[in-house]
Amino acid sequence: MRLAEVAERFGATLDCPEQGDRPVLGVAPLETATATDISFLANPKYTALLQTTEAAAVFVRPDFQGEAACPLLRVPHPYLAFAKCIEWFYPQPKPPAKIHPTAILGADVVLGAEVTIGAYTVIGDRVRIGDRTVIDSHCTLYDDVVVGADCRIYSHCVLRERVQLGDRVILQNSVVLGSDGFGYVPLPDGRHYKIPQVGTVVIGNDVEIGAGTTIDRATLGETTVANGTKIDNLTMVAHNCTIGENAILCAQVGLAGSTHIGNHVVLAGQVGAAGHLTIGDRTIVSAKSGISSSVPPDSRMGGIPAMDQTLYLKVSAAVKQLPDLLKRVRKLEAKVGG
Amino acid sequence: MRLAEVAERFGATLDCPEQGDRPVLGVAPLETATATDISFLANPKYTALLQTTEAAAVFVRPDFQGEAACPLLRVPHPYLAFAKCIEWFYPQPKPPAKIHPTAILGADVVLGAEVTIGAYTVIGDRVRIGDRTVIDSHCTLYDDVVVGADCRIYSHCVLRERVQLGDRVILQNSVVLGSDGFGYVPLPDGRHYKIPQVGTVVIGNDVEIGAGTTIDRATLGETTVANGTKIDNLTMVAHNCTIGENAILCAQVGLAGSTHIGNHVVLAGQVGAAGHLTIGDRTIVSAKSGISSSVPPDSRMGGIPAMDQTLYLKVSAAVKQLPDLLKRVRKLEAKVGG
Amino acid sequence: MRLAEVAERFGATLDCPEQGDRPVLGVAPLETATATDISFLANPKYTALLQTTEAAAVFVRPDFQGEAACPLLRVPHPYLAFAKCIEWFYPQPKPPAKIHPTAILGADVVLGAEVTIGAYTVIGDRVRIGDRTVIDSHCTLYDDVVVGADCRIYSHCVLRERVQLGDRVILQNSVVLGSDGFGYVPLPDGRHYKIPQVGTVVIGNDVEIGAGTTIDRATLGETTVANGTKIDNLTMVAHNCTIGENAILCAQVGLAGSTHIGNHVVLAGQVGAAGHLTIGDRTIVSAKSGISSSVPPDSRMGGIPAMDQTLYLKVSAAVKQLPDLLKRVRKLEAKVGG
């Protein structure tokens, strides 16, 4: 590829057109880019790297001002251009559409066009799978599962009875959708009586779910994840939760039962939320926080239990002064006869 | 089904016997119940919902006083009646007892009556499986495993060498029992020498274990979970732990090695416990807490590190005042010449 | 085995040579050892147990002074002798080297000598596997994976495209290496555009990884774990992280993207680290802590957010006095007219 071709493909303005013949072979971050790599600058924090990068060229915003050691490609969204450049330079091979002879299909399975099913995958009765969906090896789809079109289900995923996926859903390896919710009736003698978990899980379009994540089926009704939401690895979504659109749940987040997460919410890594509460749209919760009560839209929360993030930052700073504060108060008491 | 039949089956008193002919088709929570659903009221907090629910009838306690928009079914344990109603209305089909032709059985395997083994499940040598137990697809039972009667093992579970399950044990998908404990001898040069993990895991009767949970085998001896205990998803129980009867471990709990959890203990979500300590019977630990030392029976604990829950609630409230407190002390110091 | 043979094998000085004929049948901790078990004392905290143990003999340091109820075996490293004694008394059978007939091998797979591949394991194209490596049932190795010699990969592990393992690597069950990193470009309309994750994961020699742990592939380049590092169960290592040599990551640790962990670092259970930071060599972070900024070598850290461990211990003690402190300050204010 030549630099001019990159510029043309992304509608970028190349500020040294005379360099348009420069060869481009790959994509890399500013620090590690070599003379044939394209890179990008999205966060102004890294502007200084532009002066030392060895990249062939760098995507920057149209109004970028500053020096650079290499040609600049001005585009409205440099980070997006970078992502699309990765797609272009490193195309991911799609396995050929075929049903592996060791895949086991139940009765009345309905497969769309060009479906791929990997070795040793087991598909239950009455399962429906949409066009062009790829399911890798060692998956189990229980009876009555519905999978949309253009999904990618990596190996070792489990979709329990009646789970539904929309279109373009990506499940990384070893995801479990529809395991039983954790619900018991406490008996007077201390034993726990299992409440049958007869609901299911419904996943919208364009959702991605990380490796090892588990989403429990509803006791009755549905546990839901709406369109466009992305969930990272080893996250736990309990029975009867609902998660809105385009939310981000980072790794190892845990949601207790019947909790409702709004649209565009961001829960950072290892956040936990208690059950039966609502986290309003566009709320951002910082890593490791514990949400113990409902939160209105547009909140910024942090801490265990979570409080307003601004207050939390002040508390986090103040807490380090606490041992010293105890001494100071003791001294004051001595002075005034406390 | 008719309402009178529901009343009869659960020994409930129907307070409007003239409504006994009303049809009942399902079960639902108070908020979402329709005119043919049975619901229940166990927590007085939700009493107001009785006035607006559209349910066909609601299980309540015998002494319930209050208005309701629908007939009441008085029973000693409304929540239990509700759970049993779900069982009744939504019977879970049990797969027919058969050994799938692709299941691989080792030498000297002993199967009870009416055992089911799913596709591509691999059973090692000398494994014993009790009557009516159902094992789904893609499980691996290593050599010398013992599984009791009436167990339900969902797909992708692993039972490593010599692991033992009691009767009526439920393993949700992708549970790992008997992986090696995390034990190493630190060498003078900084390397870690692996200590062979030659013990095993022993699970009692009526235990349920959630999806993706891992329980490590003992270094020597046994890691144990006693009768009736329920463990939620993505929980980690380290080598040589012992967990008592009827305990509840919520999702993403982590126990370090050789820790002992008493009977009827409740560990809420994301709780961690350090190793080599004892948590006394009936102790309740609130979510996200970190137990760093042994705790006597009947404790209520919270915080990191955990303290008495009453104190923890006070500390949690007080900590928000800390930035303000710093200012107040500074002001006091200025006044008295601190 | 006789006690004299144990002494000879480990170069130990047996302080009652007349007991050399005593039979030894097993290995056990001091508390549970019976008259035919070998035990050990490494931590002086447990010295008192030597007076009550029923063990046949106990490994102690050469300079140990103190009373004991049984013969002593003096060796430079009692704990290491104990670990090797477990190896000796409880040899782990290695499965015979064979490729199970149900294993599926792709095109151009290169197998070393005496490789074992279990039932239903699926190996992609161009995979290379070193001598004497054992891969259990139900694993998936995607195309172009490289596995070194003498590795042990337990069942249900996933090695995604191009993942590389060194020699003597142990993967406990259900490990996922090389799942896609969690990277998206936020679009102006609130949707998240997936950044292709085209890098991989490279694991050094003598690494062990616990059950259910997930390590994501790099966006570009490599996520790496260096020689000798041990990672416990259900841990999450995000894309582009690098982990140094001989580090210890305990269970349920979570590392966000592009974080760098030095050599000999110890992260205790449930620790989290934010992305794009560096944790210096030999740093020790206490359980449940949250690392929010880079940490120099040889640090001891604790708390959320993490601070110096000595300060953290003081803060943890002081925080319990906070409700009382509020009262005391109120009292002072009343006195001095605050």
Side-chain angles (χ1 to χ4, degrees):
Chain A
M1 219 66 63
R2 301 279 143 188
L3 197 45
E5 293 171 84
V6 176
E8 194 190 341
R9 185 181 181 101
F10 292 101
T13 309
L14 176 61
D15 68 355
C16 340
E18 70 281 5
Q19 304 246 19
D21 271 348
R22 209 164 156 165
V24 179
L25 303 175
V27 186
L30 286 170
E31 304 91 318
T32 57
T34 66
T36 55
D37 287 328
I38 290 285
S39 193
F40 80 108
L41 177 75
N43 187 337
K45 193 166 94 179
Y46 300 115
T47 301
L49 290 174
L50 271 193
Q51 296 175 42
T52 53
T53 188
E54 299 180 14
V58 176
F59 288 114
V60 297
R61 286 186 216 283
D63 58 353
F64 173 77
Q65 306 278 352
E67 287 176 45
C70 66
L72 298 176
L73 291 159
R74 296 177 185 274
V75 286
H77 202 321
Y79 195 20
L80 183 58
F82 181 75
K84 291 187 169 175
C85 229
I86 298 177
E87 278 174 21
W88 190 32
F89 279 91
Y90 311 96
Q92 301 292 296
K94 200 187 157 176
K98 68 161 199 176
I99 312 302
H100 195 279
T102 61
I104 296 177
L105 274 66
D108 303 315
V109 167
V110 179
L111 300 185
E114 297 173 55
V115 165
T116 301
I117 302 183
Y120 299 130
T121 277
V122 175
I123 310 278
D125 295 343
R126 295 170 303 279
V127 169
R128 285 181 285 144
I129 300 176
D131 297 347
R132 295 169 303 279
T133 281
V134 176
I135 302 178
D136 285 356
S137 64
H138 297 110
C139 293
T140 302
L141 279 63
Y142 282 73
D143 293 345
D144 302 294
V145 161
V146 178
V147 176
D150 297 300
C151 292
R152 184 73 162 95
I153 301 181
Y154 287 93
S155 79
H156 296 82
C157 286
V158 176
L159 280 70
R160 286 274 299 273
E161 306 84 350
R162 287 169 283 119
V163 165
Q164 296 174 38
L165 303 191
D167 298 331
R168 298 173 302 281
V169 171
I170 301 173
L171 304 183
Q172 296 294 327
N173 307 85
S174 303
V175 167
V176 177
L177 301 182
S179 38
D180 280 7
F182 194 63
Y184 305 90
V185 178
L187 299 181
D189 63 3
R191 289 180 303 125
H192 308 287
Y193 190 90
K194 181 174 173 72
I195 303 171
Q197 303 291 312
V198 303
T200 191
V201 173
V202 177
I203 307 288
N205 300 323
D206 301 298
V207 170
E208 180 161 5
I209 301 179
T213 284
T214 67
I215 302 184
D216 279 356
R217 64 197 311 108
T219 308
L220 297 160
E222 298 167 356
T223 306
T224 61
V225 180
N227 296 341
T229 284
K230 314 296 184 185
I231 301 179
D232 201 356
N233 298 5
L234 294 175
T235 290
M236 160 58 175
V237 177
H239 55 119
N240 294 84
C241 284
T242 65
I243 302 179
E245 295 190 356
N246 297 312
I248 294 278
L249 275 64
C250 294
Q252 295 174 322
V253 160
L255 305 182
S258 299
T259 274
H260 307 291
I261 307 292
N263 299 322
H264 309 287
V265 165
V266 177
L267 305 181
Q270 300 185 335
V271 161
H276 296 274
L277 51 83
T278 299
I279 299 182
D281 293 348
R282 295 171 302 281
T283 290
I284 300 175
V285 182
S286 57
K288 276 192 164 290
S289 300
I291 303 285
S292 55
S293 55
S294 290
V295 170
D298 298 295
S299 302
R300 292 274 288 117
M301 305 293 290
I304 308 174
M307 60 192 83
D308 175 79
Q309 174 76 2
T310 309
L311 175 58
Y312 173 59
L313 291 176
K314 286 183 192 162
V315 167
S316 296
V319 87
K320 295 184 188 175
Q321 303 181 45
L322 192 52
D324 184 54
L325 188 69
L326 280 171
K327 286 183 203 154
R328 287 158 61 190
V329 170
R330 227 170 284 138
K331 213 164 143 189
L332 280 167
E333 288 169 338
K335 281 211 178 172
V336 307
Chain B
M1 219 67 61
R2 301 280 145 188
L3 196 44
E5 292 171 83
V6 176
E8 195 191 342
R9 184 181 182 100
F10 293 100
T13 309
L14 177 60
D15 68 354
C16 340
E18 71 281 5
Q19 304 247 19
D21 272 348
R22 209 163 156 164
V24 179
L25 303 175
V27 184
L30 286 170
E31 304 91 316
T32 58
T34 65
T36 56
D37 287 327
I38 290 284
S39 193
F40 80 108
L41 177 74
N43 186 337
K45 192 165 95 177
Y46 299 115
T47 301
L49 289 173
L50 270 193
Q51 295 176 43
T52 53
T53 186
E54 297 179 15
V58 176
F59 288 114
V60 297
R61 286 186 215 285
D63 58 354
F64 173 77
Q65 304 281 349
E67 285 177 47
C70 67
L72 298 177
L73 291 157
R74 295 177 185 274
V75 286
H77 201 323
Y79 195 19
L80 183 59
F82 181 75
K84 291 188 168 174
C85 230
I86 298 177
E87 277 173 20
W88 190 34
F89 278 90
Y90 311 96
Q92 301 293 295
K94 198 187 158 177
K98 69 160 197 177
I99 311 303
H100 194 280
T102 62
I104 296 177
L105 273 66
D108 303 315
V109 167
V110 179
L111 300 185
E114 296 173 56
V115 165
T116 300
I117 302 183
Y120 298 128
T121 277
V122 175
I123 310 278
D125 295 343
R126 296 170 302 279
V127 168
R128 285 181 285 145
I129 300 175
D131 296 347
R132 294 170 304 278
T133 282
V134 176
I135 302 179
D136 284 357
S137 64
H138 298 108
C139 292
T140 303
L141 279 63
Y142 282 72
D143 293 346
D144 302 295
V145 161
V146 178
V147 176
D150 298 299
C151 292
R152 183 74 163 93
I153 301 181
Y154 286 93
S155 79
H156 295 82
C157 286
V158 175
L159 281 70
R160 285 274 299 274
E161 306 85 349
R162 287 170 282 118
V163 165
Q164 296 175 37
L165 303 191
D167 297 332
R168 298 173 302 281
V169 171
I170 301 172
L171 304 183
Q172 295 294 325
N173 307 85
S174 302
V175 167
V176 177
L177 301 181
S179 38
D180 280 6
F182 194 64
Y184 305 91
V185 179
L187 299 182
D189 64 2
R191 289 181 302 125
H192 308 287
Y193 190 91
K194 182 174 172 73
I195 302 170
Q197 304 290 311
V198 304
T200 192
V201 173
V202 177
I203 307 288
N205 299 323
D206 301 297
V207 170
E208 179 162 5
I209 301 179
T213 283
T214 67
I215 302 184
D216 279 357
R217 65 196 311 109
T219 308
L220 297 160
E222 298 167 354
T223 305
T224 61
V225 179
N227 296 341
T229 284
K230 313 296 184 185
I231 301 179
D232 201 356
N233 298 5
L234 294 175
T235 290
M236 160 58 175
V237 177
H239 55 120
N240 294 85
C241 284
T242 63
I243 301 179
E245 296 191 355
N246 297 313
I248 294 278
L249 274 65
C250 294
Q252 296 174 321
V253 159
L255 305 182
S258 300
T259 274
H260 306 290
I261 307 292
N263 299 323
H264 309 287
V265 165
V266 177
L267 305 181
Q270 300 185 336
V271 161
H276 296 274
L277 51 83
T278 298
I279 298 181
D281 293 348
R282 295 171 302 280
T283 290
I284 300 175
V285 183
S286 58
K288 277 191 164 289
S289 300
I291 303 286
S292 54
S293 55
S294 290
V295 169
D298 298 295
S299 303
R300 293 274 287 117
M301 305 292 290
I304 307 172
M307 59 193 84
D308 176 80
Q309 174 76 4
T310 309
L311 175 59
Y312 174 60
L313 292 176
K314 285 182 193 164
V315 168
S316 297
V319 87
K320 295 184 189 175
Q321 302 181 48
L322 192 51
D324 184 54
L325 188 69
L326 281 171
K327 286 184 204 155
R328 287 159 60 190
V329 170
R330 228 170 285 138
K331 214 164 143 189
L332 279 167
E333 287 169 337
K335 280 210 181 175
V336 307
Chain C
M1 219 67 61
R2 301 279 145 188
L3 196 44
E5 294 171 82
V6 176
E8 194 191 343
R9 185 182 182 98
F10 292 101
T13 309
L14 177 61
D15 68 354
C16 340
E18 71 281 7
Q19 302 247 18
D21 272 348
R22 210 164 155 165
V24 180
L25 303 175
V27 185
L30 286 169
E31 304 91 316
T32 58
T34 66
T36 55
D37 286 327
I38 290 284
S39 192
F40 80 109
L41 177 75
N43 187 336
K45 193 166 95 178
Y46 300 115
T47 302
L49 290 173
L50 271 193
Q51 296 175 41
T52 52
T53 188
E54 298 179 14
V58 176
F59 287 115
V60 296
R61 286 185 215 284
D63 59 352
F64 174 77
Q65 305 277 352
E67 287 178 45
C70 67
L72 298 177
L73 291 158
R74 295 177 185 274
V75 285
H77 202 322
Y79 195 20
L80 182 60
F82 182 74
K84 291 187 170 177
C85 228
I86 298 178
E87 278 173 20
W88 189 34
F89 278 91
Y90 311 96
Q92 301 292 295
K94 200 188 157 177
K98 69 161 199 178
I99 312 303
H100 195 280
T102 62
I104 296 177
L105 274 67
D108 302 315
V109 167
V110 179
L111 299 185
E114 297 172 56
V115 165
T116 301
I117 302 182
Y120 298 129
T121 277
V122 175
I123 310 278
D125 295 343
R126 297 169 302 280
V127 169
R128 285 180 285 145
I129 300 176
D131 297 346
R132 295 170 303 280
T133 281
V134 176
I135 302 178
D136 285 357
S137 64
H138 298 109
C139 292
T140 302
L141 279 63
Y142 282 73
D143 293 345
D144 301 294
V145 161
V146 178
V147 176
D150 298 300
C151 293
R152 183 74 162 94
I153 301 180
Y154 287 93
S155 79
H156 295 83
C157 285
V158 175
L159 280 71
R160 286 275 298 274
E161 305 84 350
R162 288 170 281 120
V163 165
Q164 297 174 36
L165 303 191
D167 298 331
R168 298 174 301 282
V169 170
I170 301 173
L171 304 183
Q172 296 293 326
N173 307 85
S174 302
V175 167
V176 177
L177 301 182
S179 37
D180 279 7
F182 193 65
Y184 306 90
V185 178
L187 298 182
D189 63 2
R191 290 181 302 126
H192 308 287
Y193 190 90
K194 180 174 174 74
I195 303 171
Q197 304 290 311
V198 303
T200 191
V201 173
V202 177
I203 307 288
N205 300 322
D206 301 298
V207 170
E208 180 161 6
I209 301 179
T213 284
T214 67
I215 302 184
D216 279 356
R217 65 198 309 108
T219 308
L220 296 161
E222 299 167 354
T223 305
T224 61
V225 179
N227 296 342
T229 284
K230 314 296 184 184
I231 301 178
D232 201 356
N233 298 5
L234 295 174
T235 290
M236 161 57 175
V237 177
H239 55 118
N240 294 84
C241 284
T242 63
I243 302 178
E245 296 192 355
N246 297 312
I248 293 278
L249 275 64
C250 294
Q252 296 174 322
V253 159
L255 305 182
S258 300
T259 274
H260 306 291
I261 307 292
N263 300 322
H264 308 287
V265 165
V266 177
L267 305 181
Q270 300 185 336
V271 161
H276 296 274
L277 52 82
T278 299
I279 299 181
D281 293 349
R282 294 171 303 280
T283 291
I284 300 175
V285 182
S286 58
K288 277 191 164 289
S289 300
I291 303 285
S292 55
S293 54
S294 289
V295 169
D298 298 295
S299 302
R300 293 273 288 118
M301 306 291 291
I304 309 173
M307 59 193 83
D308 175 80
Q309 174 76 3
T310 308
L311 175 59
Y312 174 59
L313 291 175
K314 285 182 194 162
V315 168
S316 297
V319 87
K320 295 185 188 174
Q321 301 180 48
L322 191 52
D324 184 53
L325 188 69
L326 281 171
K327 285 184 204 155
R328 287 160 60 191
V329 170
R330 228 169 284 139
K331 213 165 142 188
L332 280 168
E333 288 169 336
K335 280 211 178 172
V336 307

